[in-house]
């Protein structure tokens, strides 16, 4: 079943918004490339609200003393409590294989964003 | 708690292991610094010959009743314990089924705070002395290369000079002054990996706990594992495991029951803080389980049941490797320190197989 989320311009690129559909808390992320992603809003670690977390990127550097790169900006959502990092494109936790948040398909129809539950 | 008498133990007829044993911590020494003179060139030779140098000293007295060493390990004639191959053979090699014993030394060139070129020269002289006076005398004896890690390029030259000697299996780095994860020390790891050598760590006299040395020797000695824990965090966080993927590590004589705590705490922190150290590509516990061994002595005298609980918490039986620490006062005998009640295959792992596999790149087989 389709649920209307918002107009695509309601969430600027690089930002997120939390919604509730069928009692399910869901974070919708508009990444830097213009893609939308929807993931379950509770961290499976200790139940914190991921909607209150920080949307950012990922560091990359081959070894100590080398310059840091900051990649995948806007695609990594960090839990507001312990900083666990979730890939919003897959729901995978970057550092705990056991942990994953569910992802949901989104549909854009005439500039309106819909969640398919 | 059940009291066990020596008579009961001996009556079982199983007081000594029958399978092979590898002993990863034997503290050999010379009788006097002058024994190094044939192995030193000038200007270093003259500094010893003319008594122009005093080695660093340990600030505590040992309250065991007989000092640092087993009371029966003194070879007589005023020579220090650990200076006699014959006595070592009589008390260890011929008593237990030792396939290999790995020498770890007592002199640690890394302890010298100054004049690093001299420290490197002493390290080289000591290594040559050990090869001539110990390794050459018995095929069961293997040794460590001592280096002055405070001078990494000299350490690399020493590893390249002796690294392919068949009796040399590891590079010894003291846990005392330095956290070796720092990239300053990485050339040492690169050289060790190039020669299929293990990196061994052993605490040394300058080691301090998080709160200093304390007033008493017992404080200092109980707190020794803090150095090993700090060393592992340094190695992991600075990417040593990721940068040198075939290097194996042995931490000698720093305890073992603390390891589950470190792995859990380290993984928990990594899950939250990994962005600070992006070169670390897998959980710290994975790196440590795959690449680090802890020598068993001093075993802390815990029960067989607690050994099994510890191994269950670690999720691996490949971490522990046996060591005696001969001739020091807290020496562990193989059969008595690794409880007979443990499953036979686990005892064999601890007494022999884990170590044999760790050194397989150098000794061949058992990979």
């Amino acid at each position: 079943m389709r649920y209307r989320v918002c107009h695509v311009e309601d969430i600027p690129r690089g930002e997120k918004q939390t919604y509730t559909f069928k009692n399910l808390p869901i974070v919708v992320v508009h990444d830097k490339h213009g893609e939308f992603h929807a993931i379950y809003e509770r961290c499976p670690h200790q139940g914190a609200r991921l909607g209150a977390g920080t949307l950012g990127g990922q560091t990359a550097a081959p070894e100590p003393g080398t310059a840091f790169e900051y990649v995948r900006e806007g695609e990594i959502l960090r839990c507001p409590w312990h900083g666990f990092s979730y890939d919003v494109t897959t729901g995978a936790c970057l550092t705990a294989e056991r942990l994953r948040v569910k992802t949901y398909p989104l549909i854009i129809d005439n500039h309106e964003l819909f969640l398919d539950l | 708690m059940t009291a066990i008498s020596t008579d009961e133990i001996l009556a079982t007829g199983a007081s000594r292991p029958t399978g092979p044993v590898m002993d990863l911590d034997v503290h050999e020494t010379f009788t006097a610094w002058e024994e190094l003179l044939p192995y030193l060139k000038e200007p270093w030779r003259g500094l010893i010959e003319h008594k122009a140098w005093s080695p660093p000293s340990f600030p505590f007295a040992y309250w065991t009743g007989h000092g640092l060493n087993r009371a029966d390990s003194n070879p007589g004639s005023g020579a220090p314990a650990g200076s006699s191959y014959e006595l070592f053979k009589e008390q260890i090699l011929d008593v237990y089924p030792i396939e290999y014993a790995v020498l770890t030394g007592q002199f640690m060139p890394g302890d010298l705070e100054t004049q690093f070129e001299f420290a490197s020269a002493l390290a080289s002289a000591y290594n040559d002395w050990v090869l001539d006076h110990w390794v050459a005398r018995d095929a069961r004896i293997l040794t460590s290369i001592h280096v002055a890690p405070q001078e990494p390029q000299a350490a690399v030259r020493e590893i390249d000079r002796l690294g392919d000697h068949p009796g040399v299996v590891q590079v010894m780095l003291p846990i005392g002054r330095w956290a070796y994860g720092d990239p300053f020390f990485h050339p040492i790891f690169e050289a060790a990996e190039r020669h299929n050598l293990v990196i061994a760590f052993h605490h040394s006299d300058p080691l301090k706990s998080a709160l200093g040395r304390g007033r008493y020797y017992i404080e200092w000695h109980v707190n020794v594992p803090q150095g090993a824990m700090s060393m592992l965090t340094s190695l992991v966080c600075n990417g040593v495991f990721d940068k040198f993927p075939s290097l194996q590590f042995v931490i000698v004589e720093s305890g073992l029951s603390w390891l589950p705590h470190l792995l859990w705490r380290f993984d928990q922190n990594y899950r939250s803080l990994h962005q600070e150290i992006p070169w670390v590509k897998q959980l710290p516990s994975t790196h440590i389980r795959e690449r680090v061994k802890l020598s068993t002595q001093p075993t802390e005298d815990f029960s067989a049941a607690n050994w099994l609980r510890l191994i269950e918490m670690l999720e691996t039986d490949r971490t522990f490797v046996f060591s005696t620490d001969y001739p020091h006062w807290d020496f562990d005998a193989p059969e008595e320190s690794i409880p007979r009640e443990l499953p036979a295959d686990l005892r064999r792992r601890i007494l022999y197989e884990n170590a044999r596999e760790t050194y397989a790149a150098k000794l061949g087989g058992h990979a």
Side-chain angles (χ1 to χ4, degrees):
Chain A
M1 184 171 175
R2 275 187 176 192
Y3 294 84
R4 181 184 177 275
V5 178
C6 62
H7 190 274
V8 292
E9 292 182 356
D10 289 344
I11 308 175
R13 287 190 183 199
E15 294 190 15
K16 63 184 183 331
Q17 187 66 49
T18 303
Y19 301 90
T20 301
F21 300 102
K22 289 180 67 176
N23 290 325
L24 283 176
I26 290 170
V27 188
V28 176
V29 172
H30 191 180
D31 74 23
K32 296 272 184 181
H33 309 294
E35 299 293 321
F36 286 92
H37 311 278
I39 63 172
Y40 186 62
E41 198 247 0
R42 294 287 191 271
C43 179
H45 177 222
Q46 291 192 13
R49 303 195 62 138
L50 292 177
T54 306
L55 191 61
Q58 196 176 355
T59 56
E63 60 181 298
T66 56
F68 273 45
E69 283 184 74
Y70 199 56
V71 299
R72 305 197 63 201
E73 201 165 350
E75 294 180 20
I76 307 298
L77 182 56
R78 305 199 71 195
C79 173
W81 287 359
H82 302 100
F84 282 31
S85 301
Y86 293 93
D87 181 337
V88 298
T89 68
T90 65
C93 180
L94 297 183
T95 53
E97 285 179 14
R98 293 177 294 113
L99 301 184
R100 175 178 288 274
V101 286
K102 187 171 173 52
T103 58
Y104 302 93
L106 288 163
I107 298 158
I108 297 175
D109 187 353
N110 196 25
H111 304 291
E112 297 290 328
L113 191 61
F114 293 90
L115 185 76
D116 197 5
L117 276 181
Chain B
M1 185 74 111
T2 306
I4 301 173
S5 74
T6 303
D7 287 346
E8 284 174 301
I9 292 170
L10 294 176
T12 66
S15 63
R16 287 182 181 150
T18 54
V21 170
M22 273 190 81
D23 176 0
L24 298 196
D25 191 20
V26 174
H27 292 289
E28 87 293 349
T29 189
F30 40 68
T31 57
W33 286 94
E34 284 72 15
E35 283 190 42
L36 298 187
L37 288 177
Y39 304 96
L40 281 168
K41 294 178 183 170
E42 294 294 1
W44 318 118
R45 179 187 168 91
L47 297 177
I48 300 292
E49 207 164 30
H50 305 304
K51 301 191 185 306
W53 172 71
S54 301
S57 62
F58 190 54
F60 295 106
Y62 298 95
W63 283 69
T64 54
H66 39 269
L68 169 62
N69 300 296
R70 280 175 34 167
D72 62 352
S73 66
N74 190 329
S77 311
S83 63
S84 167
Y85 158 72
E86 289 78 10
L87 188 56
F88 169 60
K89 181 173 180 294
E90 181 187 320
Q91 294 186 318
I92 303 294
L93 292 179
D94 293 347
V95 174
Y96 307 108
I98 304 285
E99 182 172 298
Y100 292 112
V102 181
L103 305 180
T104 48
Q106 302 215 28
F107 164 57
M108 298 281 182
D111 289 354
L112 301 189
E113 283 187 85
T114 58
Q115 300 173 326
F116 299 163
E117 297 84 355
F118 185 37
S120 295
L122 287 172
S124 297
Y126 187 77
N127 292 331
D128 288 337
W129 178 88
V130 168
L131 290 172
D132 281 356
H133 289 78
W134 286 78
V135 176
R137 299 181 72 173
D138 198 310
R140 291 170 289 184
I141 296 179
L142 305 169
T143 196
S144 316
I145 298 180
H146 290 272
V147 297
Q150 57 272 49
E151 194 87 289
Q153 295 313 320
V156 167
R157 286 196 297 275
E158 185 66 1
I159 294 167
D160 285 338
R161 184 176 78 89
L162 293 178
D164 293 332
H165 188 292
V168 167
V169 293
Q170 63 189 12
V171 176
M172 173 57 69
L173 298 176
I175 303 177
R177 295 193 186 284
W178 327 98
Y180 298 110
D182 190 308
F184 175 75
F185 298 103
H186 288 195
I188 296 173
F189 299 126
E190 189 179 353
E193 193 175 53
R194 189 162 62 240
H195 292 281
N196 292 322
L197 298 173
V198 167
I199 294 288
F201 298 102
H202 193 296
H203 64 273
S204 65
D205 293 352
L207 179 66
K208 293 177 179 169
S209 79
L211 299 179
R213 269 185 169 141
R215 285 170 59 132
Y216 302 105
Y217 171 72
I218 187 171
E219 285 184 81
W220 180 85
H221 198 244
V222 169
N223 288 334
V224 160
Q226 293 181 20
M229 296 169 78
S230 302
M231 192 60 71
L232 283 178
T233 58
S234 172
L235 296 173
V236 171
C237 291
N238 285 279
V240 171
F241 289 91
D242 296 87
K243 190 173 176 181
F244 306 102
S246 65
L247 210 48
Q248 299 287 318
F249 302 85
V250 177
I251 298 181
V252 182
E253 204 185 348
S254 281
L256 50 159
S257 53
W258 47 265
L259 188 57
H261 156 74
L262 181 75
L263 299 187
W264 294 329
R265 185 175 176 87
F266 212 164
D267 282 358
Q268 183 190 37
N269 276 265
Y270 177 79
R271 289 188 183 105
S272 297
L273 305 173
H274 67 103
Q275 299 248 20
E276 187 184 12
I277 49 172
W279 42 83
V280 181
K281 299 298 186 192
Q282 56 183 358
L283 285 173
S285 64
T286 305
H287 278 312
I288 293 170
R289 282 195 191 95
E290 290 177 351
R291 313 270 292 282
V292 177
K293 308 295 184 211
L294 302 184
S295 80
T296 52
Q297 180 279 338
T299 52
E300 301 166 7
D301 289 339
F302 48 77
S303 65
N306 279 340
W307 272 96
L308 294 173
R309 289 188 187 101
L310 177 59
I311 285 167
E312 184 182 6
M313 286 190 286
L314 285 173
E315 302 173 37
T316 177
D317 62 359
R318 307 300 162 104
T319 300
F320 302 136
V321 288
F322 176 74
S323 59
T324 63
D325 193 36
Y326 179 88
H328 289 165
W329 64 268
D330 45 351
F331 167 87
D332 269 342
E335 182 69 18
E336 286 71 20
S337 63
I338 311 300
R340 284 183 294 277
E341 297 85 352
L342 290 176
D345 57 343
L346 176 58
R347 296 185 81 239
R348 187 176 165 84
R349 281 238 139 257
I350 295 170
L351 288 165
Y352 177 70
E353 286 175 353
N354 286 344
R356 190 64 184 76
E357 289 168 4
T358 301
Y359 295 95
K362 189 66 191 281
L363 298 177
H366 281 80

